[in-house]
Amino acid sequence: MPPVINKEKCVGCGTCAQICPVDVIKFNKSLGMPEIRYPEECWHCNSCVLDCRQGAIRLRIPLPAQLLYVDVKSVRGE
Ligand code: SF4
Ligand code: SF4
């Protein structure tokens, strides 16, 4: 499943678009918001979720990829 961006929480910082290694997320300058451009390319690395300080990105990780999953709250010490 590709990431889902909560537009209510997103502040349009653009970090997720910068961090995505495969250009799944592109920043739409005219909207001032990121958008999911190539959802089928997502490899579920979880980087966008980890780097979004607003907690605005939700990602459902497929079972095989869960072996590599890092819980964002444990990384931040929350
Ligand atoms: S990192 Fe989070 S707050 Fe920043 S643009 Fe992406 S979804 Fe929005
Ligand atoms: S999980 Fe990784 S590949 Fe997928 S959108 Fe986020 S940063 Fe890009």
Side-chain angles (χ1 to χ4, degrees):
M1 297 291 291
V4 176
I5 296 171
N6 183 331
K7 290 190 166 56
E8 302 293 319
K9 290 185 177 179
C10 176
V11 295
C13 69
T15 300
C16 54
Q18 290 173 1
I19 208 75
C20 180
V22 285
D23 290 341
V24 172
I25 306 174
K26 284 287 191 183
F27 193 76
N28 186 322
K29 286 183 182 167
S30 58
L31 294 177
M33 299 286 267
E35 60 185 21
I36 307 301
R37 188 75 60 85
Y38 304 108
E40 69 282 355
E41 300 294 326
C42 178
W43 61 17
H44 307 98
C45 69
N46 210 36
S47 297
C48 54
V49 176
L50 289 171
D51 284 1
C52 177
R53 302 306 296 178
Q54 303 302 314
I57 305 178
R58 189 165 47 86
L59 182 68
R60 202 161 72 195
I61 300 177
L63 194 57
Q66 285 185 18
L67 295 170
L68 304 172
Y69 178 73
V70 176
D71 178 38
V72 67
K73 289 182 178 170
S74 68
V75 171
R76 292 180 182 160
E78 295 173 359

